[in-house]
């Protein structure tokens, strides 16, 4: 019984995947390391992104970015 429960939990975990996003206003490219990791602040969706040349991550509105 316990073994079956552990298998079901392991199947439902979403794996992170890299996505390249573009800001359509200024055409900046951003890399999102985990597109499933969404943060909600005041009912607005944010994703953690970084530029390809830097390691620092920032939160950006998900609706402001488009998949490349």
């Amino acid at each position: 019984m316990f073994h079956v429960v552990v298998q079901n939990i392991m199947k439902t975990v979403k794996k992170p995947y890299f996505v390249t996003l573009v800001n359509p206003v200024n055409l900046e490219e951003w890399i999102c390391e985990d597109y499933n990791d969404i943060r909600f602040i005041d009912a607005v969706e944010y994703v953690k992104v970084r530029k390809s040349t830097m390691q620092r991550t920032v939160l950006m509105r998900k609706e402001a970015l488009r998949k490349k």
Side-chain angles (χ1 to χ4, degrees):
M1 179 67 178
F2 180 72
H3 182 67
V4 174
V5 173
V6 171
Q7 284 181 343
N8 289 339
I9 291 172
M10 291 176 70
K11 288 180 184 178
T12 60
V13 175
K14 293 183 180 179
K15 295 180 181 177
Y17 61 97
F18 285 82
V19 176
T20 302
L21 303 169
V22 177
N23 184 345
V25 176
N26 56 10
L27 300 177
E28 285 184 325
E29 289 190 4
W30 296 86
I31 297 173
C32 181
E33 295 181 2
D34 187 1
Y35 198 66
N36 296 324
D37 185 17
I38 301 170
R39 307 291 170 102
F40 287 94
I41 301 172
D42 293 335
V44 178
E45 292 181 319
Y46 290 89
V47 290
K48 290 190 337 184
V49 295
R50 66 174 177 87
K51 286 195 175 184
S52 60
T53 58
M54 63 184 209
Q55 291 296 319
R56 183 181 64 183
T57 59
V58 296
L59 290 176
M60 290 191 72
R61 290 179 80 141
K62 189 174 179 180
E63 64 186 32
L65 301 171
R66 304 286 178 252
K67 288 185 181 179
K68 185 174 180 183

